[in-house]
Amino acid sequence: SNPSGCLYFRPESQTNDFLNTAPELGFVWRTTDDISLFSNLRRGFRAPQATELYRLQAEQTIEQVKSETIDSFEVGVHGQQKTISYELLAFAMRKDNYIFQDSNRRNVNDGKSKHIGIEAGFAWRIMQPVYLNFAGTWAKHTYDFDNAVVTSGDRVDTAPDLVGSMQLGYEASFGHTELEWVHNDKYFLETTNSYEYE
């Protein structure tokens, strides 16, 4: 039971079982010696953690807590030449049954969200000891359900649209030196999208 005034309570000891499948279907088509096209369709899952099952709020019951699932589809191209390798892909994902804390600090059992985006990366061996690497992602992360403080279509808080990094390095037998630039785009701080971190 939940003592009056307590934000969290612990259910009775019990055994919890979760059965999940994670199928995956993919293909790779090598169009030339240097270029490959690929695609993947997959499901992933994460069973609830002990704290998610046994540290509940008044509105929650242990029966409501389910395994988190994510379904994803991606398609892309990969290239490899003498000194340069690169990859470009587009993806779409749907996440279901995940637990998070909303702006009122209340746990949400059945969070749903959609994610679409593109990723790009390349590695260039400029000359034998010198290299340049880049990796970046643009994505749009949105909630896909409604409750007291979340509206379907709102942006997922703490999820920036654009992240990326670049490294210029020198790699030799006597040591390794690297200069790195990292970019993290602005993002919302809470589920109502009222406050933004630049």
Side-chain angles (χ1 to χ4, degrees):
S1 65
N2 186 10
S4 177
C6 291
L7 181 60
Y8 295 100
F9 72 99
R10 298 187 184 278
E12 297 291 331
S13 294
Q14 56 191 282
T15 299
N16 308 103
D17 296 308
F18 299 92
L19 177 63
N20 300 278
T21 57
E24 179 176 352
L25 177 65
F27 81 88
V28 177
W29 178 30
R30 193 166 185 176
T31 58
T32 70
D33 288 343
D34 300 329
I35 299 174
S36 298
L37 303 177
F38 63 89
S39 180
N40 288 297
L41 178 64
R42 62 171 63 104
R43 164 166 279 197
F45 68 88
R46 183 184 67 82
Q49 299 177 10
T51 53
E52 293 170 336
L53 288 167
Y54 291 93
R55 191 170 182 258
L56 302 176
Q57 292 183 353
E59 295 83 1
Q60 294 179 295
T61 65
I62 201 165
E63 292 80 16
Q64 294 172 324
V65 183
K66 301 174 184 175
S67 291
E68 177 181 319
T69 61
I70 186 163
D71 297 308
S72 67
F73 174 72
E74 64 180 16
V75 60
V77 58
H78 175 80
Q80 177 73 54
Q81 296 179 354
K82 192 171 184 180
T83 60
I84 296 176
S85 64
Y86 61 89
E87 186 170 276
L88 178 66
L89 67 88
F91 64 86
M93 300 179 177
R94 177 179 167 82
K95 193 156 70 165
D96 201 1
N97 293 325
Y98 69 95
I99 297 176
F100 70 99
Q101 209 168 64
D102 66 21
S103 301
N104 290 334
R105 298 195 59 76
R106 291 291 176 185
N107 288 347
V108 175
N109 287 331
D110 54 353
K112 297 175 179 62
S113 58
K114 291 180 179 177
H115 313 264
I116 59 167
I118 55 174
E119 293 182 357
F122 75 83
W124 177 23
R125 180 63 70 167
I126 300 171
M127 59 182 74
Q128 181 48 41
V130 181
Y131 63 87
L132 180 67
N133 295 336
F134 167 81
T137 302
W138 174 88
K140 185 176 179 183
H141 311 276
T142 55
Y143 289 113
D144 195 32
F145 72 103
D146 296 292
N147 73 1
V149 294
V150 173
T151 302
S152 185
D154 281 353
R155 306 303 286 272
V156 175
D157 52 292
T158 69
D161 289 354
L162 185 64
V163 294
S165 66
M166 186 177 292
Q167 300 83 30
L168 177 64
Y170 184 90
E171 200 169 29
S173 58
F174 57 82
H176 182 181
T177 301
E178 187 174 85
L179 180 65
E180 182 177 38
W181 167 83
V182 177
H183 174 76
N184 193 69
D185 210 8
K186 61 186 178 181
Y187 54 84
F188 291 108
L189 290 169
E190 37 64 65
T191 52
T192 63
N193 292 179
S194 300
Y195 302 97
E196 197 172 63
Y197 185 72
E198 293 294 332

